[in-house]
């Protein structure tokens, strides 16, 4: 860790450690739509502070998404309701932002964060300017969990207490695995691997973590996936792949729209495919929602924009009106194939759409 980070880490220790054995309270703010890194870092930090007899809770905008329901120490998680603002303002002594550094990323809790007497930041996202002496910001870190690991290690050194245990290991491993794309992204640091080696000592159940994060699906999800994959159509060059789902298919599978979320990416995995489209009827007659995922040679956002949609280079969406699934499929297949013909070899942008 470089000198200025080391100094900031100590500034933060000096704010937090005097709270030991007092009634003062720390609230930890993950970003809205908390992912494995935001919740993993937040809950592990809260757990470590509580072991030191510092009152700390994670305050989130919503319940954890289903793939994160398995996370331990959710006894330290509270879901914020707007009418509780005054209640929390009276209680809060220190606010810690994790995996974000702006109150805009905290939605309903933004005002509470802004009004906290002391604000601390632990984050690895790119930021403008200096965020102050209490900001543990490191854009080189592959996750916030990586920063929180170092912070908890410093807490151990400073207090002589043992803080790491199996729960903390599970939480931090979840954060590391999430933000490194299972240790595949080029941003993965050597430090992340070192921390994994260290956490292994506390026996996190990595099989369970991977199952919960990447494998577990419900029966309706499996059924609807089968329907989607069996309905795949390809352009003649196989660069464009399309599938569609009617309300009837969803109903028979017992699935909801959210159950389709990972399928466009799965379709994109097919060898030779440049762009995948998943079409689905919405509840409104004649309306077809289109989700797009592309590889290196197709600008999804530009394509979606032609139909008043939007998104990113590799992940976008749009809605078609006054059409049928069949007509929409035909249109998309031919238009996308045409677009692909005019494509340069590559478009810029990250491969990941996370
Ligand atoms: Mn992160």
């Amino acid at each position: 860790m470089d000198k200025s980070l080391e100094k900031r880490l100590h500034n933060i220790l000096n704010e937090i450690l005097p709270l030991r054995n007092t009634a003062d309270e720390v609230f930890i703010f993950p970003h809205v739509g908390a992912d494995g890194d935001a919740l993993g870092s937040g809950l592990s930090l809260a757990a470590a502070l509580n072991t030191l007899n510092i009152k700390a809770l994670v305050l989130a905008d919503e319940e954890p998404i289903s793939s994160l329901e398995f996370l331990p120490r959710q006894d330290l998680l509270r879901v914020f309701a707007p009418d509780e603002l005054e209640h929390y303002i009276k209680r809060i002594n220190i606010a810690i932002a994790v995996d974000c550094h702006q109150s805009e990323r905290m939605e309903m809790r933004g005002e509470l964060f802004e009004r906290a007497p002391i604000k601390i930041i632990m984050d690895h996202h790119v930021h403008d300017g200096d965020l102050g002496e209490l900001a543990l910001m490191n854009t080189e870190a592959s996750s916030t969990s990586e920063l929180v690991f170092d912070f908890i290690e410093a807490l151990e050194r400073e207090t002589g207490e043992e803080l790491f245990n199996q729960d903390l290991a599970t939480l931090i491993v979840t954060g590391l695995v999430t933000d490194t794309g299972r240790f595949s992204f080029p941003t993965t640091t050597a430090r992340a691997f070192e921390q994994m080696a260290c956490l292994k000592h506390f026996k996190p159940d990595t099989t369970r973590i991977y199952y919960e994060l990447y494998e577990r699906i419900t029966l309706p999800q499996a059924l609807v996936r089968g329907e989607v994959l069996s309905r795949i159509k390809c352009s003649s060059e196989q660069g464009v792949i399309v599938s569609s789902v009617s309300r009837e298919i969803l109903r028979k599978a017992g699935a909801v729209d959210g159950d389709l979320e990972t399928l466009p990416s799965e379709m994109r995995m097919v060898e030779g495919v440049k762009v995948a489209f998943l079409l689905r009827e919405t509840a409104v007659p004649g309306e077809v929602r289109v989700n797009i995922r592309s590889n290196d040679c197709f600008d999804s956002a530009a394509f979606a924009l032609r139909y008043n949609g939007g998104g990113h280079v590799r992940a976008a969406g749009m809605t078609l009106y006054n059409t049928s699934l069949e007509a929409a499929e035909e249109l998309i297949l031919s238009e996308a194939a045409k677009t692909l013909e005019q494509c340069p070899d590559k478009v810029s942008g990250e491969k990941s759409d996370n």
Side-chain angles (χ1 to χ4, degrees):
M1 196 180 273
D2 77 33
K3 274 267 151 49
S4 89
L5 271 180
E6 194 90 40
K7 184 163 174 290
R8 282 153 189 262
L9 193 147
H10 275 98
N11 294 339
I12 296 172
L13 286 176
N14 291 336
E15 293 290 342
I16 289 181
L17 282 174
L19 267 56
R20 285 187 88 175
N21 307 311
T22 71
D24 288 2
E25 291 191 83
V26 177
F27 288 96
I28 298 167
F29 294 67
H31 55 75
V32 65
D35 58 7
D37 186 33
L39 276 186
S41 60
L43 285 171
S44 58
L45 181 60
L49 293 178
N50 277 280
T51 304
L52 292 170
N53 235 339
I54 295 168
K55 287 184 194 289
L57 289 170
V58 174
L59 204 53
D61 252 43
E62 66 284 284
E63 297 287 349
I65 53 172
S66 72
S67 62
L68 296 175
E69 280 170 2
F70 78 104
L71 287 180
R73 299 312 314 262
Q74 288 190 43
D75 56 306
L76 300 174
L77 180 74
R78 299 288 181 276
V79 177
F80 179 79
D83 62 2
E84 296 172 320
L85 180 64
E86 291 306 321
H87 160 81
Y88 280 115
I89 283 173
K90 283 188 204 118
R91 285 172 60 182
I92 195 166
N93 296 97
I94 294 181
I96 308 178
V98 289
D99 208 32
C100 60
H101 55 270
Q102 290 164 308
S103 53
E104 292 80 52
R105 293 281 290 131
M106 302 170 189
E107 291 205 355
M108 291 193 293
R109 298 155 298 149
E111 187 181 348
L112 177 61
F113 182 79
E114 287 301 337
R115 289 172 67 177
I118 295 168
K119 292 190 270 292
I120 293 170
I121 295 167
M122 298 187 186
D123 189 22
H124 67 127
H125 290 99
V126 176
H127 58 98
D128 292 325
D130 191 358
L131 298 169
E133 287 304 298
L134 296 177
L136 193 63
M137 293 290 303
N138 185 2
T139 51
E140 314 261 281
S142 50
S143 62
T144 299
S145 297
E146 187 179 317
L147 294 171
V148 165
F149 178 106
D150 286 338
F151 183 74
I152 295 172
E153 207 176 50
L155 280 173
E156 278 194 336
R157 267 199 310 274
E158 205 72 18
T159 62
E161 305 268 357
E162 268 183 37
L163 298 176
F164 286 102
N165 55 35
Q166 192 182 28
D167 283 347
L168 257 74
T170 299
L171 290 163
I172 295 174
V173 167
T174 298
L176 294 175
V177 164
T178 300
D179 269 27
T180 60
R182 309 177 230 189
F183 297 93
S184 73
F185 296 161
T187 50
T188 309
T189 58
R191 185 71 186 134
F193 284 102
E194 284 167 9
Q195 292 179 352
M196 277 300 280
C198 194
L199 292 167
K200 180 73 184 162
H201 178 70
F202 299 97
K203 302 188 167 53
D205 186 347
T206 45
T207 307
R208 169 97 197 271
I209 293 171
Y210 275 72
Y211 172 73
E212 294 288 348
L213 292 181
Y214 302 111
E215 291 170 358
R216 183 167 65 84
I217 55 172
T218 62
L219 182 60
Q221 284 168 345
L223 293 173
V224 83
R225 179 193 205 171
E227 296 284 354
V228 165
L229 298 182
S230 68
R231 279 179 168 72
I232 279 177
K233 289 180 191 146
C234 271
S235 63
S236 53
E237 300 295 316
Q238 294 206 356
V240 185
I241 193 170
V242 176
S243 187
S244 59
V245 188
S246 63
R247 298 316 289 175
E248 180 64 6
I249 289 173
L250 281 177
R251 194 188 58 76
K252 275 192 183 152
V256 294
D257 291 68
D259 292 327
L260 302 168
E261 213 170 287
T262 60
L263 294 172
S265 303
E266 203 168 322
M267 289 164 61
R268 180 181 57 180
M269 289 177 199
V270 174
E271 200 175 14
V273 163
K274 304 279 196 297
V275 58
F277 295 87
L278 181 58
L279 283 57
R280 75 180 140 86
E281 282 177 344
T282 72
V284 181
E287 204 175 280
V288 173
R289 180 70 193 163
V290 183
N291 281 297
I292 315 172
R293 293 291 182 280
S294 58
N295 278 327
D296 46 11
C297 177
F298 192 96
D299 188 337
S300 298
F303 188 86
L305 197 60
R306 305 210 306 239
Y307 303 89
N308 294 316
H312 305 282
V313 173
R314 287 164 205 284
M318 63 203 216
T319 304
L320 299 172
Y321 304 93
N322 302 316
T323 185
S324 64
L325 272 184
E326 296 72 30
E329 268 194 342
E330 234 169 83
L331 173 82
I332 297 282
L333 258 181
S334 73
E335 288 303 310
K338 266 189 242 162
T339 308
L340 206 53
E341 274 169 33
Q342 298 150 6
C343 234
D345 270 353
K346 258 182 183 315
V347 288
S348 60
E350 291 292 300
K351 179 150 186 143
S352 151
D353 48 55
N354 293 318

